[in-house]
Amino acid sequence: MPLSTPMSRPGLLTRLLLGGMKWASSRRRDETPHTLEDIRRRLDRPCFPMGLSALQVRRVIDCRVPGQAGLLPARLYVPYGRVHGVVLYMHGGGYVHCGLNSHHGICCRLARQSGAAVLSIAYSLAPEHRFPVAVEDCWAALQWLAGEAHRWGGPIAVAGDSAGGTLAAVLAQMARDRGGPELAMQLLYYPSLYGERAVPSREVYAHGHVLSTRLMEWYAEQYVRTPADLRDPRLAPIFAPSFAGLAPAVIGLAQCDPLHDEGTGYAAAMQKAGSPARTRTWRGTVHGFLNFYSVLPAGREAIHYGAKALRHALRTASGATGGTRPDSASPSAPSGQSGRSAA
C-alpha cells in the first residue's frame, strides 16, 4: 500500500480558514452548548448563498425518494441543456450531521459542470439510526433511481464526500454483488474506507487538522454498533473479498488528512484487481476542504475535477449523441413534492 509522505503543513489560505474557525468556535462555546441538535443546525449550512448557487442550474427541486423504511428528503439538481445521466450524491458529516443545505452549492456546481442531473439525499443519521441504516437508505434510493434513470439519459454514477464517499464506494460494491444497477463511475472525495485497519496518514495527521483521531472515534461511537462493524465491507470497503469488476473510481484527496492513505490504498487495491481507479491529492488541504470552495481555490478545483470525470464517464456510457432534453425529463418523486424549487 502506498505510504503517506512526511507530515506537510496546510497552505496559507487553509491555515487562515482554520484560525478563523477556531476563533469563531471559542466565541460560540460561551454562548451555546454543543448539543447534537446545535451541531447539526450549525453544520447544515452552505458556505455560499443557496440562491446564487441555484442560478447555475435550470431547476432545483425538493422531493422525497424511498429509503429503507420510508421516504427520504432529497434534492434534485437539473442542469441547463441536454442531460447526460444522473448522479446519486451522498453528503459527508461522519454519518452524524450535515445534509442537503450544507452540500447544496457542491451539487449545483457538479450538475452544471458535469451536464448530469444530481440527486442529493438526506439519509438517516446516527446515533438515532446506527449502521447499517444509512447504507440501506442509500441502496434503496439507488434502486429507485435506477428505475428513473431513463429520464436523465440512462447512465448512473454515485458520488460523495467523507462518509458520503464511503457510502458511494459501498454502493459500487453492492451494485456489483447484487446484479446492478450498472454504474458508470464512482466519485469519492476523501472517503473513510479502512475501518479498524490502520494506515500511516492516521498517525501523521492525528491532531490539529480538522479531522482528528478523537473526532473519528466520536463518529464511530455514534454510528457503529459493535467492533465487528469496523471489518464489515459496508462500513470499511477495503475488507471486501474482491475489488474486481467495480465501477471506475476517481478519488479526490486532501494532503493533510488522516484518511489520505485510505484513498490511495483503496485505489491500489482496485487497480491490482483490474478495476480502473485514479487518485488526485490537493496539496496543503485538510479534510472537508470541498465544503469551503467559496474561499479555497482547491475546493473549486476539486469540484471541477470530479465534474469533468463524471461528464466523460456518463457521456461515454450514454453515447456522444445521447442524453435527454430537460423539458422531457420530469422526475416522478414518490411524495408528490417534485415541483417545488429549493432556491
Side-chain angles (χ1 to χ4, degrees), residues 147-195:
E148 299 290 318
H150 65 280
R151 301 175 183 273
W152 314 108
I156 307 172
V158 291
D161 63 289
S162 194
T166 308
L167 290 167
V170 170
L171 291 186
Q173 291 187 1
M174 294 174 71
R176 176 201 60 185
D177 297 340
R178 300 185 182 186
E182 183 177 355
L183 300 177
M185 186 184 133
Q186 49 180 318
L187 173 61
L188 319 176
Y189 289 110
Y190 36 80
S192 172
L193 302 164
Y194 271 55

Side-chain angles (χ1 to χ4, degrees), residues 36-57:
L36 181 57
E37 180 181 0
D38 178 57
I39 291 172
R40 287 177 175 168
R41 178 176 58 84
R42 292 183 182 280
L43 295 181
D44 191 21
R45 295 174 179 174
C47 71
F48 192 77
M50 291 176 62
L52 293 179
S53 289
L55 295 176
Q56 301 185 62
V57 293

Side-chain angles (χ1 to χ4, degrees), residues 7 11 19 25 138 152 217 220 250 299 320-321:
M7 183 174 182
S25 178
C138 296
W152 314 108
E217 291 173 349
V250 173
T321 59

Side-chain angles (χ1 to χ4, degrees), residues 100-226:
L100 301 180
N101 292 337
S102 60
H103 287 67
H104 173 84
I106 294 172
C107 290
C108 284
R109 285 157 177 79
L110 279 178
R112 176 178 66 85
Q113 296 174 24
S114 70
V118 175
L119 180 68
S120 177
I121 59 172
Y123 53 84
S124 300
L125 298 176
E128 299 93 332
H129 305 279
R130 293 181 179 269
F131 173 81
V133 175
V135 174
E136 296 305 327
D137 273 349
C138 296
W139 176 247
L142 178 61
Q143 289 181 297
W144 173 81
L145 188 60
E148 299 290 318
H150 65 280
R151 301 175 183 273
W152 314 108
I156 307 172
V158 291
D161 63 289
S162 194
T166 308
L167 290 167
V170 170
L171 291 186
Q173 291 187 1
M174 294 174 71
R176 176 201 60 185
D177 297 340
R178 300 185 182 186
E182 183 177 355
L183 300 177
M185 186 184 133
Q186 49 180 318
L187 173 61
L188 319 176
Y189 289 110
Y190 36 80
S192 172
L193 302 164
Y194 271 55
E196 70 173 10
R197 186 178 298 181
V199 293
S201 59
R202 286 192 194 172
E203 181 176 353
V204 173
Y205 298 108
H207 308 287
H209 296 85
V210 178
L211 184 63
S212 64
T213 298
R214 180 65 193 99
L215 184 55
M216 287 191 289
E217 291 173 349
W218 183 81
Y219 284 137
E221 290 167 2
Q222 310 310 307
Y223 184 56
V224 172
R225 300 165 304 175
T226 69

Side-chain angles (χ1 to χ4, degrees), residues 145-332:
L145 188 60
E148 299 290 318
H150 65 280
R151 301 175 183 273
W152 314 108
I156 307 172
V158 291
D161 63 289
S162 194
T166 308
L167 290 167
V170 170
L171 291 186
Q173 291 187 1
M174 294 174 71
R176 176 201 60 185
D177 297 340
R178 300 185 182 186
E182 183 177 355
L183 300 177
M185 186 184 133
Q186 49 180 318
L187 173 61
L188 319 176
Y189 289 110
Y190 36 80
S192 172
L193 302 164
Y194 271 55
E196 70 173 10
R197 186 178 298 181
V199 293
S201 59
R202 286 192 194 172
E203 181 176 353
V204 173
Y205 298 108
H207 308 287
H209 296 85
V210 178
L211 184 63
S212 64
T213 298
R214 180 65 193 99
L215 184 55
M216 287 191 289
E217 291 173 349
W218 183 81
Y219 284 137
E221 290 167 2
Q222 310 310 307
Y223 184 56
V224 172
R225 300 165 304 175
T226 69
D229 292 339
L230 296 173
R231 299 184 296 275
D232 191 315
R234 294 172 298 170
L235 187 145
I238 196 64
F239 285 96
S242 172
F243 303 101
L246 292 174
V250 173
I251 306 176
L253 301 170
Q255 182 183 29
C256 307
D257 184 355
L259 301 182
H260 177 272
D261 294 353
E262 300 192 20
T264 56
Y266 192 71
M270 286 185 60
Q271 292 165 355
K272 184 176 180 180
S275 296
R278 72 177 192 261
T279 66
R280 178 174 171 181
T281 298
W282 275 266
R283 295 181 59 81
T285 57
V286 294
H287 190 86
F289 75 96
L290 211 68
N291 287 91
F292 300 99
Y293 62 84
S294 63
V295 293
L296 295 178
R300 296 191 292 275
E301 292 171 7
I303 294 173
H304 179 73
Y305 180 81
K308 184 178 179 181
L310 286 170
R311 186 182 189 92
H312 175 75
L314 292 169
R315 293 197 176 200
T316 298
S318 66
T321 59
T324 302
R325 293 188 180 278
D327 290 342
S328 65
S330 177
S332 57

Side-chain angles (χ1 to χ4, degrees), residues 11 80 274:
Y80 289 102

